[in-house]
Amino acid sequence: MSSDHDRDEHRTAGQLLNEAVAMQAFERGDAIARHLPLEVHMQVASGCNLDCYMCYEHLRPPGTRRGRGLQELSPALFEKIVAEVMPYSQRTSFGIGGEPMLAPHFLEYVRRAHALNQKVHVLTNGTRIHTEEVAQTLATCLSSLEISIDGATAETYERIREGASFSRVTSNVELFNRARLARPEEERPRLTLCMTMMRSNVHELPLMVELAARLQVDGLAAWHVIPVTEEGRAGAVPVAFAGPF
């Protein structure tokens, strides 16, 4: 895999022209942009294998949660995007709703986007990074990976992320990291842990910093919960929250 800098250096004529048209439209303040997308954000799986109480997935009828009745972005539609958009775009993100790694063709989609000179980003709950093939594919093809972990202890994490195992997910992170860190530094995807802060877990933020250091990640992101469920609203931390945990 080439580094992001190398990918910038080897952008195709279509990518360069599309970017130039986009920048000109931005600088002129055009109301209508004539360029094609610079980035592609795709939901490739319709649901998630977890049932986190603060997530909009928790709003589904109980019988349709945890990936039941899962639908995938079809390979035919993906190939249409590949043919019509990716010759001009420069970044592809998987993880706009649902758990992208549940999609049966997920690894194929990642490899295809990578082969088309895309900077590939994935947002995942980390439960499916469970084989050497998955870890190696992600380490080879991604520009960045974000893994959602909402607790630094098994008790907190498993209470929030119903259906997941803290020890298994941290083992998955370690599996991916072994593949990632075996690559030259300039070719490694960036790895970030993400924490949704709520009243029930904000006290573990210092422990999350320690966990991130132990797992040798590049960054830790923490943000307030977006309260879309009753449980999420009840657990929201006041925006003015400050002071000792």
Side-chain angles (χ1 to χ4, degrees), residues 28-97:
R28 290 193 302 262
D30 291 353
I32 299 176
R34 305 296 180 185
H35 65 283
L36 289 167
L38 297 174
E39 300 187 8
V40 182
H41 296 259
M42 283 186 281
Q43 180 178 2
V44 293
S46 65
C48 183
N49 55 328
L50 305 184
D51 186 10
C52 306
Y53 61 74
M54 73 291 188
C55 180
Y56 66 84
E57 291 280 336
H58 192 64
L59 298 175
R60 296 177 184 272
T64 64
R65 297 176 192 168
R66 303 285 297 275
R68 298 180 182 92
L70 184 79
Q71 297 183 48
E72 178 193 23
L73 180 80
S74 71
L77 181 53
F78 182 80
E79 288 301 324
K80 186 175 176 64
I81 296 170
V82 163
E84 297 182 6
V85 180
M86 288 192 185
Y88 310 99
S89 62
Q90 299 181 36
R91 180 178 173 87
T92 297
S93 295
F94 299 97
I96 309 303

Side-chain angles (χ1 to χ4, degrees), residues 173-229:
V173 176
E174 291 168 345
L175 175 64
F176 169 70
N177 232 6
R178 285 195 293 273
R180 184 179 77 101
L181 297 177
R183 303 185 63 78
E185 185 174 358
E186 67 275 10
E187 297 182 2
R188 295 172 190 165
R190 177 175 175 81
L191 174 59
T192 303
L193 298 186
C194 304
M195 178 185 185
T196 303
M197 293 189 302
M198 297 174 285
R199 294 178 185 271
S200 62
N201 68 354
V202 69
H203 64 283
E204 290 193 357
L205 187 53
L207 294 179
M208 284 294 298
V209 175
E210 296 177 8
L211 176 66
R214 177 170 67 82
L215 293 175
Q216 297 180 276
V217 306
D218 298 311
L220 170 64
W223 49 71
H224 290 279
V225 64
I226 299 174
V228 298
T229 67

Side-chain angles (χ1 to χ4, degrees), residues 145-178:
L145 177 68
E146 291 183 80
I147 300 177
S148 297
I149 297 183
D150 292 332
T153 63
E155 179 183 6
T156 298
Y157 172 83
E158 291 172 8
R159 175 176 47 77
I160 295 171
R161 294 197 157 256
E162 183 179 333
S165 161
F166 182 76
S167 62
R168 188 170 299 120
V169 167
T170 52
S171 294
N172 290 351
V173 176
E174 291 168 345
L175 175 64
F176 169 70
N177 232 6
R178 285 195 293 273

